Amino acid sequence: MSQTKTQFDAVVIGSGPGGEGAAMQLAKSGCSVVMIEKHSSIGGGCTHWGTIPSKALRHSVSRLIEYHSNPLFSNDRIQRGLTFAEILKHAQGVIRKQVNLRSSFYNRNGVTVIHGTASFESPTCIKVTQDEGVEEYIETKQVVIASGSRPYHPKDVDFSHARIYDSDTVLALEHEPRSIIIYGAGVVGCEYASIFRGLGVKVDLINTRDRLLSFLDAEISDALSYHLRNSGVVIRHNEEYESIEGTDEHVVMKTKSGKRIVADCLLYANGRSGNIEELQVDKVGLEPNYRGQLEVSKLYQTAVDNIYAVGDIIGYPSLASAAYDQGRICATAMLSGDCAQRLKSDIPTGIYTIPEISSVGKTEEELTEQRVPYEVGRAQFKHLARAQISNMAVGSLKILFHQETKEVLGIHCFGERAAEIIHIGQAIMEQKGDGNTIEYFVSTTFNYPTMAEAYRVAALNGLNRLRG
């Protein structure tokens, strides 16, 4: 077994968005930086098993749905289908492009990349175990833990069974299922319910709570429930499994309420755990919580002064977009001891169901509970010329604003391109003082026809409600 020793100003563990953001910021500031990535390619879970592949899958399926529903092609009378394996090929192509692009960032900025498993020897010494038992010891001044997370595996579910998947292994699906049970109706569960139903697979979506995505504005949550059910998804609320058993032919799930549900395969999508075990953080006095997550300060500093953590390993908000910003803020704090920038409190939510969902700011339920006098402005996509042209008439935009000051308090969008549309409203919400007003959408000329025109329609609708 060979051993080598090297020295760097900073070690970053994990090359997902959080680790990349930290490494790039540190390198651009003149630090010598090494990125330690356990897997053979950089990009982390975001690129290989999470955001990128699942959204690529979603895009392919939504285009297939669009083709089947578009009257322009109805005369062909050809029902075109795509297998899960076929659309996975498209996702793999996107992943390769992302890996090549992100590899170029490290090369261009002089960041050393080592592939291997990192573990702490001390707060300033990291051991990297590479293939064939090669060990490298890295002396460093500071460390950023950005090791990400993985799907939670309860001990009584056999994930080694060929018909039982999690959100990582489903990307290597070996079946062409006619039916699937999706256990867990969070963001991942709802997104995959849309994808599989779009492929014509019968879907049972098991929700352990009383409504879908309860953190959303209730109207948006209800819209998602309606459209999933309308597409044929069976949603079962307030259910928990008693047992999950795989056989050669199918998977049987028995619920605590006494139901027996059978499908060709099962996707378990209920919770995630931090990738903490192999790091041996106990050697430096760090204690993760029961989800394998570390507690950090506002500057992403752990209880050990020179060790920082960002991304899924610290929990909320567990978003790729937020993780990159966390990495940059963390790196600035490592360099100067402080950082004027903070992660915005109003982080937009992007949920890539079919149709997709995005929101930022307060919900109606929150404003009512806080006794804020607000009004609602709505625009239905079916009334927009661009939506009619593109045959994407399902959906709506809702603006919540203060009745007296006209300040925009929350924006909620359901429909195709929702995750793009939301950023226009987000930009106005971030303006200071009188800059944040719903009247901006009325006094500003938008391109026509566009989906962004929904802001003008919704603003007029809301202001007209004030006038009675």
Side-chain angles (χ1 to χ4, degrees), residues 100 113 144 301 332 392:
N100 291 336
V113 177
V144 180
Q301 189 175 36
T332 303
M392 295 178 180

Side-chain angles (χ1 to χ4, degrees), residues 140-188:
T140 185
K141 298 172 186 175
Q142 295 175 307
V143 180
V144 180
I145 301 173
S147 51
S149 66
R150 64 185 184 278
Y152 170 67
H153 281 192
K155 294 179 180 179
D156 58 348
V157 177
D158 181 13
F159 287 91
S160 67
H161 193 281
R163 291 180 179 271
I164 298 176
Y165 298 90
D166 62 30
S167 58
D168 286 357
T169 59
V170 74
L171 294 170
L173 186 74
E174 295 178 354
H175 305 89
E176 286 302 330
R178 293 169 296 175
S179 58
I180 187 170
I181 299 167
I182 299 178
Y183 186 83
V187 171
V188 173

Side-chain angles (χ1 to χ4, degrees), residues 40-78:
S40 58
S41 298
I42 60 95
C46 170
T47 298
H48 294 280
W49 309 282
T51 303
I52 297 301
S54 65
K55 276 51 178 180
L57 289 174
R58 186 252 181 216
H59 177 80
S60 297
V61 174
S62 64
R63 295 293 75 81
L64 180 65
I65 293 171
E66 181 185 352
Y67 171 83
H68 286 154
S69 62
N70 196 318
L72 192 63
F73 306 116
S74 61
N75 291 333
D76 290 353
R77 300 187 183 280
I78 299 173

Side-chain angles (χ1 to χ4, degrees), residues 113-133:
V113 177
I114 299 176
H115 294 282
T117 302
S119 60
F120 282 94
E121 290 290 298
S122 75
T124 58
C125 181
I126 304 294
K127 181 174 78 171
V128 184
T129 305
Q130 299 171 271
D131 292 340
E132 300 176 356

